[in-house]
Amino acid sequence: MIIHHLNCISTCPIGGKLMDGQTRSLVKRGHLTCHCLLLEADHGLILVDTGLGLEDVRNPKSQLSGFFLAMVSPDFREEMTAVRQVESLGFNASDVHHIVLTHLDFDHAGGLNDFPHATVHMLQEERDYALKQRTWLDRQRFRPQQWPTEQHWRLYGIDEGEDWFGFFSISQLEGVPNNIRLVPLPGHTHGHCGVAIKLADKWLLQTGDAYFYHQEMDPQSPFCTPGLRFYQTLMEKDRQARLNNQQRLRELSRAQGNQIELFCAHDVVEFERLSGRSARVPVQHLRL
Ligand SMILES: [Zn+2]
């Protein structure tokens, strides 16, 4: 299976170096990715997360909340949307048959609009909670404007799981090869998941927003920048579960690091290592 790493629109949070650890200044904005995957499977394309989409680029003020627009100021370039990168690889949007979603936050679900025929797979718990819109922050992060394809969603209970390296996993995603599975990692949201993909020689685990900074997975001395620590605390729905899952992922990485490659959605260092290119360019530049 061929895998493409796509950064589907960077975000540029206030806090600079305090967020990403790399930007030279605290005054300048930082740089984070929306790390999605495009999988070329036998019977069609599968996307893991969708980043921000065309409608977010064209009408950010109606699609997204003013709070997050101010806080993370996405770098709205149409060529970085998932659909444009899919096209630049020579495919059509309709070739994407399935989307496996880590969670419904605006920076993961924004591209759902651009693949109206795809079946979307996620935990039932994620959909149920996101629809409730209980708090002010829920209404800023979960944007029903991004979900017109809701009739194509397939929802899974956590009890449908089976063991995967000591984690629950859901491998029977309707129509999806069973080498791709949802791995529930609640905390950031109630129905938050990682997505595990079996390759010839190892597993990839896209951990979504289970952690935000590559050094958080350091088994000896885990470290997160203060800005991203703050952001994760702001966004968490279940602190105990989030920290517990981070600890489990660190342990998984330590014990199974040669078999499983972990990465998260927003870390530029991980994105550039895995994609082999700058996070600021779309995928077709790889082929020039
Ligand atoms: Zn996110």
Side-chain angles (χ1 to χ4, degrees), residues 65-284:
S65 82
F67 174 74
F68 281 110
L69 283 173
M71 192 173 197
V72 305
S73 183
D75 179 20
F76 288 118
R77 289 159 56 204
E78 185 170 325
E79 73 265 29
M80 298 301 285
T81 58
V83 65
R84 292 291 179 252
Q85 295 197 67
V86 164
E87 288 165 356
S88 75
L89 288 166
F91 301 109
N92 296 311
S94 59
D95 296 326
V96 175
H97 295 173
H98 297 278
I99 296 171
V100 185
L101 212 58
T102 61
H103 64 301
L104 277 167
D105 271 346
F106 67 95
D107 52 338
H108 299 257
L112 291 177
N113 267 336
D114 300 327
F115 305 95
H117 305 295
T119 304
V120 182
H121 307 264
M122 76 187 85
L123 274 199
Q124 171 110 34
E125 179 73 17
E126 184 65 10
R127 195 280 308 260
D128 290 354
Y129 184 83
L131 280 178
K132 287 180 194 152
Q133 306 256 313
R134 284 228 165 102
T135 67
W136 177 85
L137 192 60
D138 289 343
R139 292 188 288 281
Q140 314 310 306
R141 72 192 297 181
F142 300 124
R143 308 296 285 177
Q145 301 90 315
Q146 295 177 327
W147 312 337
T149 63
E150 216 187 315
Q151 72 275 17
H152 297 306
W153 291 7
R154 294 287 179 279
L155 307 166
Y156 303 89
I158 206 161
D159 52 351
E160 296 169 45
E162 58 190 79
D163 180 72
W164 182 78
F165 294 99
F167 288 73
F168 270 122
S169 75
I170 299 154
S171 62
Q172 305 296 320
L173 304 178
E174 194 183 316
V176 176
N178 65 4
N179 55 356
I180 298 164
R181 28 180 96 187
L182 279 170
V183 179
L185 298 170
H188 179 74
T189 61
H190 289 298
H192 181 276
C193 278
V195 180
I197 301 129
K198 188 164 177 37
L199 307 179
D201 56 340
K202 63 177 177 181
W203 287 85
L204 279 184
L205 180 61
Q206 208 283 34
T207 65
D209 288 1
Y211 70 97
F212 272 63
Y213 191 66
H214 57 283
Q215 286 182 24
E216 284 182 276
M217 288 298 105
D218 188 313
Q220 267 82 47
S221 45
F223 170 77
C224 183
T225 58
L228 285 177
R229 218 164 42 228
F230 165 77
Y231 192 77
Q232 292 188 78
T233 304
L234 173 76
M235 300 297 280
E236 70 195 9
K237 298 308 292 185
D238 182 337
R239 182 175 182 77
Q240 195 62 45
R242 180 174 75 78
L243 296 179
N244 183 39
N245 277 323
Q246 279 191 352
Q247 184 54 38
R248 294 170 75 212
L249 289 171
R250 250 189 308 276
E251 177 57 28
L252 181 72
S253 174
R254 190 194 60 74
Q256 309 287 351
N258 54 347
Q259 288 190 71
I260 305 171
E261 180 134 35
L262 271 75
F263 59 98
C264 66
H266 299 306
D267 186 271
V268 172
V269 170
E270 290 179 341
F271 180 87
E272 295 190 341
R273 175 166 52 80
L274 287 161
S275 69
R277 68 177 188 279
S278 163
R280 297 182 191 276
V281 296
V283 71
Q284 81 264 25

Side-chain angles (χ1 to χ4, degrees), residues 57-68:
V57 172
R58 290 170 183 160
N59 295 303
K61 287 186 179 158
S62 61
Q63 290 296 106
L64 305 171
S65 82
F67 174 74
F68 281 110

